[in-house]
Amino acid sequence: MVTASAPGKFILFGEHAVVYGKTAVAVAMDRRFACSVAYSDENTLNGKPVSFEKHPYIYHMLQKHGMDNTAVDTVSDIPAGSGLGSSAALSVSFSAAIRALKGMSTEEKDIAEDAFDTEYSVQGRASPADTSTCTHGSGISINGPGNGGLWSISRNGNVWHIADAYVPEMTIVVGHTGIHAATGPLVERVRKFRDKNGFAYDIVNEIGDIALHGIDLMRKNDITGIGELMTKNHKLLSILGVSCSELNKLVNAALPYSYGAKLTGAGGGGSMIALTDEPDKVCEAISKHGGTPFVVKTAQPGVVIKNI
Ligand code: PMV
């Protein structure tokens, strides 16, 4: 049996824009998804048969690796459909475990590529931001300045250069709306808006510019500046139509005690993040407005594989 685990993540800057090859920054957090795989008589997930409708990521991975005899068991403390990378952490931990079981390469680049392929196939359009962060851990820039770094992935005319990003010490509170929002339809909504509307096209570019500026401020440990940019990023995402009243409520509740706040991930529900020195006050404000808060530790390790 092989067990692998991968961290969840939050996107600090650049979600949606990164799908079009713009810049983004994402950070691994201290909630993880673990996946165990062992040879068996048939494909099962947590003791039940695997179906494409219910388990598209696992189903796709099993098909891709030509497996029809694998028992898969999963455990996670990343809320599903929350914008915190649960599907990416699933794809990464599964890829790592199955590759180790089969004696294939378990280099980060190969796992990240494999997991991205699954996200892309299941979600339709996607960027490798989530899967790369869940693989490498720590902080990741995608198409940051200088580009150089870990690996590059291309698809559909876009190229994403993945590099290690310096992450300053930050206290981040996550506020989960409790609303499950699938990434694929939100990405598709932005694609349609951007394709037919020059204004939306410019907003997407502006989000990429914010992420570039954000990387510079992170290097300078400019917490105030980072917070301001987060709030600006949220406003632009709202204009793109991927926020919702619950997310806006939590962002507004957190702002009086925060340097900045924004939705994180695909939006439409899911979660927001706040950068703060007053985590207790932010948690209280989020709870009061119907969200579930938790403080996250940043810059966590990436994928970890154990042969048992
Ligand atoms: O909500 P999540 O964790 O699936 O993040 C999605 C991030 C997007 O930029 C909206 C899509 C992507 O593939 O990068």
Side-chain angles (χ1 to χ4, degrees):
M1 182 165 89
V2 180
T3 296
S5 74
K9 61 92 221 309
F10 59 85
I11 297 182
L12 193 55
F13 299 113
E15 48 273 270
H16 287 287
V18 70
V19 172
Y20 307 96
K22 307 294 168 201
T23 305
V25 190
V27 178
M29 61 180 210
D30 59 335
R31 292 205 166 208
R32 299 184 75 86
F33 197 106
C35 194
S36 304
V37 296
Y39 289 116
S40 170
D41 298 338
E42 53 172 344
N43 285 340
T44 56
L45 175 63
N46 298 326
K48 304 217 173 90
V50 182
S51 80
F52 173 72
E53 290 73 28
K54 285 195 187 144
H55 322 108
Y57 294 92
I58 298 274
Y59 184 89
H60 182 270
M61 279 277 185
L62 286 166
Q63 292 283 313
K64 188 175 176 209
H65 285 280
M67 306 298 280
D68 56 9
N69 56 350
T70 313
V72 185
D73 287 285
T74 61
V75 43
S76 168
D77 59 4
I78 310 168
S82 61
L84 299 172
S86 60
S87 62
L90 156 71
S91 303
V92 166
S93 57
F94 183 83
S95 167
I98 206 83
R99 294 177 76 91
L101 187 73
K102 291 175 75 181
M104 296 169 73
S105 154
T106 52
E107 277 185 34
E108 284 188 357
K109 179 187 185 309
D110 295 323
I111 294 170
E113 185 111 36
D114 205 9
F116 172 58
D117 189 56
T118 296
E119 293 252 303
Y120 202 91
S121 304
V122 175
Q123 283 176 19
R125 263 185 126 92
S127 83
D130 288 17
T131 38
S132 292
T133 310
C134 297
T135 302
H136 183 68
S138 182
I140 289 288
S141 73
I142 302 97
N143 292 341
N147 289 336
L150 297 169
W151 54 79
S152 299
I153 294 183
S154 50
R155 195 67 53 100
N156 212 13
N158 289 312
V159 183
W160 294 275
H161 302 287
I162 313 295
D164 221 16
Y166 168 72
V167 182
E169 216 162 279
M170 302 185 290
T171 304
I172 296 281
V173 176
V174 171
H176 183 26
T177 59
I179 300 169
H180 184 287
T183 303
L186 287 150
V187 169
E188 183 56 15
R189 186 192 300 178
V190 172
R191 186 193 65 75
K192 280 193 185 140
F193 193 21
R194 176 180 175 270
D195 278 358
K196 66 168 194 263
N197 188 311
F199 178 66
Y201 188 94
D202 291 344
I203 299 267
V204 166
N205 289 348
E206 206 178 327
I207 291 175
D209 291 345
I210 282 183
L212 259 182
H213 187 186
I215 292 170
D216 185 42
L217 296 181
M218 288 168 79
R219 285 193 186 136
K220 292 175 178 155
N221 288 306
D222 182 348
I223 300 295
T224 308
I226 293 169
E228 282 166 12
L229 273 188
M230 286 168 67
T231 308
K232 200 168 163 194
N233 194 158
H234 179 77
K235 287 180 183 157
L236 295 176
L237 287 165
S238 304
I239 297 171
L240 280 186
V242 294
S243 192
C244 62
S245 60
E246 289 82 357
L247 277 169
N248 290 342
K249 222 190 279 173
L250 300 190
V251 166
N252 287 331
L255 277 177
Y257 315 107
S258 304
Y259 293 103
K262 65 184 276 291
L263 72 83
T264 190
S271 306
M272 49 71 69
I273 50 170
L275 172 60
T276 181
D277 279 343
E278 300 182 282
D280 292 346
K281 285 189 181 159
V282 172
C283 285
E284 201 184 317
I286 288 173
S287 296
K288 231 187 230 169
H289 289 81
T292 306
F294 53 93
V295 181
V296 291
K297 288 202 185 101
T298 59
Q300 295 293 299
V303 66
V304 174
I305 303 170
K306 276 190 207 146
N307 283 289
I308 298 164

